[in-house]
Amino acid sequence: QVQAVESGGDLVQAGKSLTLSCTISGLTRDDYSLGWFRQVPGKERSMVSCIGPIDTTYYGDSVKGRFSISRRGTGADSINLTMNSLKPEDTAMYYCAAFYNEIDCFNGVYKILDAWGPGTLVSVSP
């Protein structure tokens, strides 16, 4: 069973930084692409950032230059998302997932999870 657990969300003021962590258990290979997604009530989940098996990184337009994705530990199943210069519009529930390739991660399709994890809430005040 493949499951994701996210942590690190908090209430912060605009302009501050925050680092989220994710661990995905049950993966059977070490070459998956891993990614962060976010969702606000009433809107679809959207891709924030992905990292490929050789650490190529991808970012959504709204977070480029402010957010950074990285692998943690051995890197096969754990990632961080460092968020700088946070804005109120970054307020959302953040989720992570694994994918067979970078294209699937970028498009948020065919995730290798039995279900989305609980997520971690990031709230940014003005």
Side-chain angles (χ1 to χ4, degrees), residues 78-120:
S78 300
I79 51 174
N80 284 348
L81 182 69
T82 299
M83 306 182 293
N84 298 316
S85 302
L86 281 162
K87 303 176 180 180
E89 50 264 43
D90 294 318
T91 295
M93 190 70 81
Y94 284 72
Y95 303 88
C96 63
F99 300 82
Y100 286 113
N101 57 65
E102 297 160 39
I103 295 176
D104 286 350
C105 183
F106 189 87
N107 292 310
V109 296
Y110 310 122
K111 66 183 185 297
I112 307 169
L113 282 179
D114 295 304
W116 288 101
T120 188

Side-chain angles (χ1 to χ4, degrees), residues 34-66:
L34 306 179
W36 284 98
F37 295 76
R38 67 186 182 186
Q39 187 173 27
V40 297
K43 293 191 176 182
E44 290 190 358
R45 209 179 315 254
S46 62
M47 189 277 294
V48 175
S49 181
C50 293
I51 185 165
I54 58 171
D55 291 351
T56 304
T57 57
Y58 306 85
Y59 298 93
D61 288 341
S62 63
V63 305
K64 281 180 183 175
R66 300 188 298 121

Side-chain angles (χ1 to χ4, degrees), residues 66-77:
R66 300 188 298 121
F67 289 13
S68 177
I69 190 171
S70 60
R71 292 183 182 269
R72 191 173 75 252
T74 60
D77 58 5

